[in-house]
Amino acid sequence: MGKLYTDAVAALDGVLFDGMTIMAGGFGLCGIPENAIQAILDSGVKDLTIISNNCGVDGFGLGKLLDAKRIRKMVSSYVGENKEFERQFLAGELELEFNPQGTLAERIRAGGAGIPGFYVKTGVGTVIAEGKDHRDFDGETYIMETGLTADLSIVKAWKADPQGNLIYRKTARNFNPMMASAGKVTLAEVEDIVELGELDADAIHTPGIFVQRLIKGEFEKRIEQRTTRTKEG
Amino acid sequence: MAWTREDMARRAAQEMEDGFYVNLGIGIPTLVANFIDESIDVTLQSENGMLGMGPFPYEGEEDPDLINAGKQTITELRRTSYFSSADSFAMIRGGHIDLSILGAMEVSGTGDIANWMIPGKMVKGMGGAMDLVAGVKRVVVIMDHTSKAGDPKLLKTCSLPLTGTGVVDRIITNLGVFDVTDDGLVLVELAPEVTVDDVKASTEAKFALAEGLAV
């Protein structure tokens, strides 16, 4: 059975339903699955729970789904770049669950690895710890966090082979590898699909077992904060 | 004369030691990178998945796949490695990062820190701050000594929602440097021409004086 689809619309056929949970890779606008986000928007699916570190910016990335009011709940660590997010949240139209960034990453890793719960010291003594199981190990207090999985994970990588083996590029890796492992179905979109054997098997970041569907995408790769220095002399 | 933002960043750079792995927060802490002593070897970590963070790129050389935790375009160095967010926070939570320098809205005399949420305002989220203060070996805060309204930020007890409890080791403000010890706060340095009375007038938390600062 092949994993390769012609585009994101074809790759998401039969996968989407109202009220589903979707994990979306990326940090800010870096390493986001632009093609799958557009196809999800075009499909009309709604009442989504989105697990993603951020929620894009107004009009781009996950901000597109937000603008179209498709998101019911966000599970994130930081959402400060988005005016429409603030408006919907303050109007009570949008549910929001904050997770410390490392806790979010580990919850997704754990979910994909079949680990339902684990203990961390992050957030002990803060609002994050309220209602959570506390336990002492070697005299230090930890709180229990739970693993996360999703109906669908959409991830973005740099290169793939037809088996779905993935290689990411630079800091565009971020949440993508853990999310690939935590989706019941994972759609990977990549910049380039190479022949079997062309990727260095020792350098593969996500083994193809975690990827069910694969497309070659088109990417704008927008930069959120363009910072530069000037050449001297 | 109280320290400027640059003075505070320069002072914070002295917290670095040879061989350190360091995570710098957003704002004044980012400036600290400009003042690291060239005779020591320091590797900067960016929690979105990079060790060995380089300076901003030259114009025209920006790479959308290469950003720091503040989402700014940056560059790599010869020593650079990239990794996932889970590996990044394994470094942070697992105590492998030597030093975190970050900003704060409030710090208590027992090392509690509040830097992510003001009730009544839109909450943007804690990002990696809770993981950093809980996991990094040494936590140094840089902040103005008082708020814009002139209210003390070094308090007996934080009034804002906490980022972590009992986690701060040192505080660098525009008036001086404080250590959080088992016996409470100790003022260990004063900015030039700042007096102990100046500090007392704008500090709610009780503090002791280090040797040499005693009146």
Side-chain angles (χ1 to χ4, degrees):
Chain A
M1 198 179 96
K3 295 180 177 178
L4 204 50
Y5 290 76
T6 50
D7 56 34
V9 173
L12 290 172
D13 186 41
V15 174
L16 302 176
F17 59 93
D18 290 348
M20 73 187 300
T21 297
I22 299 175
M23 285 182 184
F27 183 95
L29 302 179
C30 182
I32 61 171
E34 298 179 30
N35 297 267
I37 290 168
Q38 185 63 48
I40 290 167
L41 176 68
D42 293 343
S43 78
V45 70
K46 61 182 192 298
D47 294 328
L48 301 171
T49 294
I50 304 280
I51 301 169
S52 187
N53 190 54
N54 315 97
C55 195
V57 297
D58 290 306
F60 193 68
L62 290 172
K64 286 185 178 181
L65 295 179
L66 195 69
D67 293 346
K69 299 192 169 60
R70 303 295 177 71
I71 304 176
R72 184 183 66 78
K73 179 181 179 183
M74 278 301 302
V75 180
S76 302
S77 86
Y78 189 84
V79 293
E81 319 295 347
N82 204 313
K83 285 197 178 65
E84 175 62 12
F85 193 104
E86 181 170 350
R87 193 202 65 71
Q88 288 186 22
F89 177 72
L90 294 176
E93 299 168 14
L94 181 67
E95 207 180 319
L96 174 58
E97 178 191 318
F98 277 129
N99 285 236
Q101 194 176 135
T103 295
L104 182 63
E106 190 63 13
R107 291 184 71 191
I108 298 163
R109 195 196 70 80
I115 297 169
F118 57 92
Y119 287 86
V120 293
K121 56 186 170 184
T122 305
V124 171
T126 75
V127 292
I128 291 299
E130 288 173 10
K132 288 177 181 162
D133 182 36
H134 286 59
R135 192 167 161 184
D136 287 2
F137 296 87
D138 292 332
E140 188 151 11
T141 304
Y142 295 75
I143 53 172
M144 195 184 79
E145 297 285 356
T146 54
L148 284 173
T149 56
D151 299 306
L152 169 69
S153 284
I154 52 175
V155 304
K156 193 267 170 183
W158 181 40
K159 287 182 177 179
D161 68 17
Q163 284 293 311
N165 293 313
L166 304 180
I167 291 178
Y168 306 93
R169 184 172 176 274
K170 303 186 188 285
T171 56
R173 190 181 320 180
N174 54 66
F175 282 80
N176 285 295
M178 295 83 74
M179 288 184 173
S181 72
K184 286 185 193 123
V185 175
T186 291
L187 166 60
E189 54 185 75
V190 301
E191 295 177 45
D192 197 13
I193 298 175
V194 303
E195 298 290 320
L196 279 182
E198 273 191 44
L199 299 180
D200 176 355
D202 268 328
I204 285 164
H205 298 129
T206 293
I209 190 170
F210 295 125
V211 176
Q212 285 71 48
R213 300 179 183 215
L214 177 66
I215 61 163
K216 183 177 184 302
E218 299 289 330
F219 298 92
E220 178 184 332
K221 293 175 85 168
R222 195 183 289 186
I223 290 176
E224 205 164 329
Q225 306 253 5
R226 189 177 296 274
T227 44
T228 58
R229 65 189 149 136
T230 44
K231 276 185 179 152
E232 287 163 27
Chain B
M1 209 180 84
W3 280 326
T4 63
R5 288 162 67 94
E6 296 228 318
D7 293 334
M8 289 158 69
R10 189 176 286 111
R11 176 58 190 82
Q14 293 170 20
E15 302 294 317
M16 312 257 183
E17 292 177 27
D18 192 37
F20 262 23
Y21 290 95
V22 178
N23 184 295
L24 299 177
I26 294 163
I28 308 180
T30 306
L31 294 177
V32 176
N34 300 331
F35 300 106
I36 301 171
D37 184 344
E38 283 178 15
S39 69
I40 62 170
D41 187 79
V42 169
T43 303
L44 298 179
Q45 199 242 21
S46 190
E47 66 263 28
N48 55 317
M50 180 183 199
L51 267 176
M53 186 168 42
F56 293 151
Y58 293 120
E59 205 166 315
E61 294 177 7
E62 307 93 323
D63 183 342
D65 289 338
L66 183 42
I67 62 169
N68 64 17
K71 285 118 186 172
Q72 298 171 314
T73 47
I74 48 162
T75 55
E76 65 184 17
L77 305 170
R78 285 161 64 91
R79 71 177 56 190
T80 296
S81 59
Y82 298 108
F83 35 83
S84 72
S85 301
D87 285 342
S88 179
F89 284 92
M91 296 172 192
I92 291 166
R93 203 189 305 102
H96 306 281
I97 305 288
D98 297 291
L99 174 66
S100 170
I101 300 177
L102 69 177
M105 299 165 189
E106 295 177 349
V107 177
S108 83
T110 55
D112 296 353
I113 175 172
N115 74 348
W116 73 284
M117 180 178 177
I118 300 176
K121 289 198 178 180
M122 174 63 196
V123 183
K124 294 180 171 185
M126 72 290 288
M130 284 191 182
D131 309 276
L132 283 159
V133 299
V136 170
K137 283 181 200 160
R138 183 171 168 78
V139 174
V140 173
V141 166
I142 307 184
M143 65 177 191
D144 287 329
H145 202 86
T146 57
S147 70
K148 284 189 181 126
D151 297 322
K153 295 173 70 173
L154 261 176
L155 305 171
K156 287 176 185 155
T157 310
C158 293
S159 63
L160 297 171
L162 296 175
T163 308
T165 56
V167 291
V168 175
D169 296 293
R170 176 166 273 191
I171 305 124
I172 298 170
T173 78
N174 48 320
L175 300 186
V177 180
F178 297 82
D179 279 344
V180 181
T181 73
D182 292 340
D183 301 322
L185 277 185
V186 179
L187 177 64
V188 295
E189 282 176 50
L190 282 169
E193 295 168 47
V194 172
T195 67
V196 171
D197 284 341
D198 293 338
V199 177
K200 275 188 178 154
S202 55
T203 308
E204 189 207 89
K206 284 198 160 67
F207 61 89
L209 300 178
E211 273 183 52
L213 287 180
V215 183

